[in-house]
Amino acid sequence: MSVFGGRPHHNIWSLGFRRIPDEKIGNKFNALCLICQKVLKNTSAERLKSHRNMCLYCDGSNKTKSSSLTSSESSITHLKADRNERKKIKGNSFDSQEFEDDPDNCLEPNINTSNRTFGLAVEPSKNLEHDPSQKYDSTISICSSDDFSILPSELNLNTPQSYVLVENDEIQSSQSTDLGFEKSSSSSSNKICNITKTKNTGLGPLKQFCDQITPAQIDICNIMLAKLFFGCNIPFSVVDSMHFKNFCKALRPSYKPPSRKVLSGRLLNDVHSKLCENKKFRLSSALLIDGWKNENANTKNVACMLHAATGETLFLESFDFTGISETGTELAKIVEVCVTLAKEKYNTEIYAVITDNAANMMKMGRLASIWHLTCNSHTGNLLAKDLVASRISSQVKQVLKEFHGPDLEKELVKNGGFRIQLPCDTRWCSYRDSFVNLQKNLPAMKKILVDGDYKIDNSIKQLLIDEIFIKNVSDSVILFDPICQLINKCQSSTTNIADAAELWLTLTLPDDFKNNKTFSNSLNKRKDNALSEFSLTANFLHPIYQGLKFSQDSNNKSHVDIVEHFLLSTLSDEGLNSLHEYKLKSGIFGILFEKQQLTPGAFWSLAKNKHQDLSNMAEKLLNLPASTAQLERIFSNWSYVHNPLRNRLEGERSKKLLGVYYALKIEEKHINSTKDY
């Protein structure tokens, strides 16, 4: 049953209409408008909606309006006055399919009658009864449930008050029967027609249903949406998906997401300009440079990034070297371009460049006009390869590949083993990880051999039962461990070259290998490459290390002599006097050395007022990162952004996406670390 009696055919009856029997035709019902008291014989949804528009908005041409409605003229006048303004709102329609064909678009938008309280305020002259012949002398206004102040049980229908006829799911059926109204038989829920006291508020409360959005809010939503797509690496095609549009409409009906072209064009440029171009950076920074082959685009690139004193990083630029030889001369030109570019875009001075140990990079370092350092993690990885025989590494790789198939690997895990980890030439410590993986899987591998359920190559079977091979694997892991610890520590963005020098100075071979001349020569050679004049000087100027572990290199050169030669050729006369006081620990240095908990940054910041030249030198050296691991992470991110499914990305757009992606990841990491703190 509907709230007005009879079997409902549509939901328009709940908007202020009552079904009454036709006086001439007994089995027919007419519609009584509770606002203007007009009886409508045509009770179709379109006719009732059209009448409601006329009743609420048209001028006083309705001849059925009773003169007793004068007390409600103020509220109806408000409805008329707002008509023109409300027509300007795009998409004025009810949030229901029954209202989508409204020809005048005059009804209140976004009203969902299933979960909102909607009604008509009436001031009856006597008790309301289900009597079709009853005439009403009432005051009409429209209000919402937000204005309800009293319960229906407190009403006195004989008192000339303003009441509202509402549909409310929360009112119990006992309350409705006391007032003489029947339950609704709506398929969605049992709604009870009830009467509640309220104020005559006119159209004001209904404005809350109208979702409007300003151009400024649209811009904010577009930028947030763009950051979501770029930061989570979501394909641009998703923005054109019907499901995504429906999701946005559910969140904010008035917001229309941008097209794929706008997202990948203007919005990408805006976000890139904000995050990567108009960004403040430190006055001095180091340049990290390395080459990379983008297999998805089939191009060779030389990527460059900035590293500031605080550990802050920023992707600077990428240069396409496809078809160009990566010679030391060409790379030296790239360095000069980066120095100029960093000064123009971020007002930062590049004073050092850090690369790997490749021959072309070493030649570039000799040609460059700034300091050149090598990556300590890369040097450690080369040392690990020197100490382990290639024959052993090849055999370990063969065994792991044999069990890398889906069937054998599953059986391996089933017998208590672990998934296979193959070594990778481009990943540091991967050889050590593969050796450890073989050690852990040996019991499960031998069990599979004994069971004989799988066919395994005879050479692999011989290796698994060869005690000498197993011992060589175990010895290699012992030899790998201290070197991999150095590599992993140097990969951290907070490790500087002074820390790396301390790690190299304390690195020794395990006791079982100290007498091996081949191993000792390899270790000394890599140490000499890592302990450059820059690393040793940084270690000497570190207030905790102070160069206390200095010795001689393999060429019998004293580390102290190397540091003094560098400082004598670099510092001014004032700086050399400051160096003398630093070595004697006199003046302000004596006071600062007593504060043993001071960090290097705080130490030299306090000494800067009296020893500016030496302090500037110390700060520059102590702010240099120990490795190019952060640049390696850029390559990993790039392969993730420019993946095989997005191989049609252009080079320029790919670089912008990478810059934005990396900047958003750094920003997210900083926010999360701040919250944890």
Side-chain angles (χ1 to χ4, degrees):
M1 299 290 290
S2 70
V3 295
F4 301 110
R7 183 176 181 84
H9 299 284
H10 49 71
N11 292 336
I12 312 301
W13 291 98
S14 62
L15 301 181
F17 294 96
R18 180 176 179 180
R19 300 183 69 183
I20 60 175
D22 192 282
E23 296 179 357
K24 297 181 180 180
I25 305 175
N27 60 352
K28 180 180 178 182
F29 287 87
N30 298 331
L32 172 65
C33 176
L34 298 182
I35 295 180
C36 63
Q37 302 299 303
K38 182 176 181 178
V39 177
L40 305 175
K41 294 185 179 182
N42 186 350
T43 60
S44 65
E46 287 294 327
R47 180 66 182 92
L48 296 185
K49 283 192 295 183
S50 176
H51 173 76
R52 176 59 67 241
N53 292 335
M54 294 291 295
C55 180
L56 292 178
Y57 297 102
C58 291
D59 296 334
S61 58
N62 195 339
K63 297 180 181 180
T64 63
K65 237 179 220 184
S66 174
S67 59
S68 61
L69 298 177
T70 56
S71 60
S72 67
E73 289 179 356
S74 58
S75 60
I76 297 178
T77 303
H78 288 301
L79 297 176
K80 298 175 184 177
D82 287 342
R83 180 188 182 189
N84 293 332
E85 179 183 353
R86 297 169 64 78
K87 274 190 174 182
K88 296 178 182 178
I89 301 175
K90 185 178 180 179
N92 273 357
S93 62
F94 283 96
D95 229 0
S96 177
Q97 292 183 356
E98 288 87 358
F99 297 86
E100 291 177 357
D101 55 351
D102 179 17
D104 296 328
N105 287 330
C106 295
L107 297 178
E108 183 66 17
N110 299 327
I111 296 179
N112 192 338
T113 58
S114 64
N115 55 18
R116 295 293 302 180
T117 301
F118 176 85
L120 299 170
V122 296
E123 185 182 8
S125 59
K126 54 183 177 180
N127 288 347
L128 296 175
E129 299 177 359
H130 191 71
D131 185 2
S133 62
Q134 181 179 351
K135 302 300 181 181
Y136 293 92
D137 184 13
S138 57
T139 298
I140 310 299
S141 65
I142 296 180
C143 60
S144 69
S145 60
D146 299 333
D147 299 303
F148 298 164
S149 58
I150 64 173
L151 295 174
S153 59
E154 300 173 358
L155 298 178
N156 184 357
L157 298 180
N158 295 322
T159 306
Q161 299 280 352
S162 292
Y163 300 98
V164 62
L165 189 62
V166 301
E167 288 182 0
N168 195 330
D169 295 344
E170 299 177 357
I171 300 177
Q172 301 296 327
S173 59
S174 60
Q175 296 174 334
S176 64
T177 54
D178 293 340
L179 297 174
F181 286 88
E182 299 178 355
K183 288 185 179 180
S184 170
S185 60
S186 174
S187 59
S188 60
S189 62
N190 284 334
K191 298 182 180 180
I192 307 302
C193 181
N194 215 328
I195 298 180
T196 306
K197 186 175 180 180
T198 185
K199 297 179 181 179
N200 186 355
T201 55
L203 189 61
L206 287 183
K207 290 185 178 179
Q208 61 184 315
F209 295 108
C210 182
D211 182 24
Q212 303 182 43
I213 188 168
T214 64
Q217 292 173 333
I218 293 177
D219 292 339
I220 294 175
C221 292
N222 286 342
I223 293 297
M224 293 298 104
L225 179 68
K227 287 184 176 181
L228 170 66
F229 270 72
F230 306 149
C232 297
N233 195 33
I234 302 175
F236 296 144
S237 58
V238 174
V239 79
D240 292 332
S241 169
M242 175 190 68
H243 307 292
F244 178 76
K245 291 181 179 179
N246 290 339
F247 172 72
C248 292
K249 186 177 181 181
L251 292 178
R252 188 74 186 267
S254 59
Y255 173 68
K256 183 180 179 182
S259 64
R260 177 180 181 178
K261 184 177 180 181
V262 173
L263 181 64
S264 61
R266 178 176 60 83
L267 290 178
L268 176 59
N269 294 334
D270 292 344
V271 176
H272 181 268
S273 176
K274 182 179 180 181
L275 294 179
C276 305
E277 294 181 1
N278 301 326
K279 186 174 182 180
K280 295 182 180 179
F281 212 68
R282 297 288 175 175
L283 294 178
S284 58
S285 57
L287 178 69
L288 310 183
I289 182 172
D290 198 2
W292 177 63
K293 182 179 179 181
N294 186 352
E295 296 180 354
N296 298 315
N298 198 23
T299 58
K300 292 191 303 182
N301 300 275
V302 174
C304 307
M305 72 179 303
L306 298 176
H307 178 93
T310 56
E312 185 181 6
T313 56
L314 177 66
F315 176 70
L316 179 61
E317 187 57 86
S318 173
F319 301 91
D320 189 358
F321 264 64
T322 306
I324 304 175
S325 179
E326 298 179 46
T327 62
T329 304
E330 293 294 330
L331 293 174
K333 295 179 182 178
I334 294 297
V335 172
E336 297 301 325
V337 172
C338 289
V339 171
T340 305
L341 187 63
K343 187 66 176 179
E344 293 176 351
K345 293 180 67 174
Y346 307 109
N347 194 28
T348 182
E349 177 187 359
I350 296 178
Y351 63 92
V353 57
I354 303 175
T355 67
D356 57 22
N357 294 277
N360 56 350
M361 293 293 182
M362 300 301 292
K363 182 178 180 181
M364 178 270 293
R366 293 190 294 269
L367 296 175
S369 58
I370 56 179
W371 297 346
H372 174 242
L373 297 88
T374 56
C375 173
N376 288 277
S377 293
H378 188 267
T379 304
N381 191 55
L382 294 176
L383 174 61
K385 290 183 178 181
D386 293 340
L387 297 181
V388 178
S390 58
R391 181 178 60 86
I392 302 297
S393 301
S394 176
Q395 289 175 342
V396 171
K397 194 172 183 179
Q398 288 177 5
V399 175
L400 293 177
K401 277 190 173 182
E402 183 70 20
F403 287 86
H404 192 49
D407 296 334
L408 278 174
E409 189 175 55
K410 183 178 180 180
E411 188 68 20
L412 200 65
V413 175
K414 183 179 178 181
N415 287 285
F418 302 88
R419 298 191 64 181
I420 298 298
Q421 293 184 7
L422 293 173
C424 179
D425 293 333
T426 59
R427 180 169 296 178
W428 299 324
C429 300
S430 66
Y431 277 89
R432 184 255 185 192
D433 295 338
S434 64
F435 278 53
V436 173
N437 183 257
L438 177 59
Q439 268 189 320
K440 293 180 178 180
N441 282 319
L442 273 176
M445 290 178 176
K446 290 181 178 180
K447 189 176 184 304
I448 294 175
L449 289 181
V450 173
D451 294 340
D453 296 334
Y454 295 91
K455 185 178 180 180
I456 299 175
D457 190 87
N458 291 329
S459 61
I460 304 300
K461 293 180 180 180
Q462 293 296 325
L463 288 174
L464 291 177
I465 61 176
D466 188 353
E467 296 297 332
I468 297 177
F469 169 72
I470 295 174
K471 186 178 184 304
N472 289 334
V473 172
S474 178
D475 292 343
S476 299
V477 172
I478 296 174
L479 196 59
F480 271 135
D481 280 340
I483 302 173
C484 290
Q485 290 178 10
L486 181 146
I487 293 173
N488 292 329
K489 289 181 180 179
C490 289
Q491 287 187 70
S492 174
S493 59
T494 58
T495 303
N496 55 42
I497 58 174
D499 302 324
E502 190 74 6
L503 293 172
W504 281 106
L505 290 168
T506 56
L507 178 65
T508 57
L509 294 174
D511 295 337
D512 296 339
F513 302 94
K514 285 184 177 180
N515 296 328
N516 190 315
K517 292 184 178 180
T518 304
F519 289 170
S520 298
N521 292 334
S522 298
L523 176 61
N524 292 332
K525 179 183 176 181
R526 296 302 177 184
K527 270 190 176 182
D528 293 344
N529 292 336
L531 295 173
S532 64
E533 55 184 355
F534 307 106
S535 300
L536 292 171
T537 305
N539 187 273
F540 175 72
L541 295 177
H542 195 287
I544 297 177
Y545 304 142
Q546 302 176 44
L548 298 177
K549 293 186 172 63
F550 281 176
S551 59
Q552 292 182 342
D553 60 15
S554 59
N555 298 321
N556 294 325
K557 291 182 180 180
S558 171
H559 291 157
V560 176
D561 294 338
I562 295 175
V563 172
E564 288 185 350
H565 179 268
F566 174 75
L567 292 175
L568 286 172
S569 61
T570 307
L571 293 175
S572 62
D573 294 341
E574 178 187 352
L576 294 176
N577 291 329
S578 301
L579 177 63
H580 180 68
E581 291 190 27
Y582 175 79
K583 294 175 67 175
L584 296 177
K585 298 182 180 180
S586 61
I588 191 175
F589 292 113
I591 300 174
L592 293 176
F593 275 119
E594 292 179 359
K595 312 291 184 181
Q596 298 181 0
Q597 301 300 323
L598 284 179
T599 62
F603 182 93
W604 289 107
S605 177
L606 294 172
K608 197 169 187 178
N609 292 332
K610 294 185 177 181
H611 305 280
Q612 186 172 4
D613 195 11
L614 182 63
S615 297
N616 289 336
M617 172 66 69
E619 288 178 346
K620 284 186 175 182
L621 290 170
L622 293 172
N623 289 330
L624 291 173
S627 72
T628 59
Q630 299 166 83
L631 187 56
E632 299 291 339
R633 297 187 188 104
I634 281 283
F635 297 149
S636 300
N637 293 334
W638 204 338
S639 62
Y640 178 61
V641 171
H642 199 164
N643 56 46
L645 298 178
R646 309 179 77 184
N647 54 11
R648 292 186 299 170
L649 280 175
E650 300 174 356
E652 192 66 26
R653 184 171 296 170
S654 175
K655 286 194 297 184
K656 288 183 178 180
L657 279 173
L658 172 64
V660 172
Y661 177 83
Y662 186 74
L664 290 173
K665 287 297 179 184
I666 294 296
E667 182 180 288
E668 182 179 2
K669 182 179 179 181
H670 174 71
I671 293 175
N672 291 336
S673 62
T674 304
K675 288 181 179 179
D676 295 338
Y677 178 78

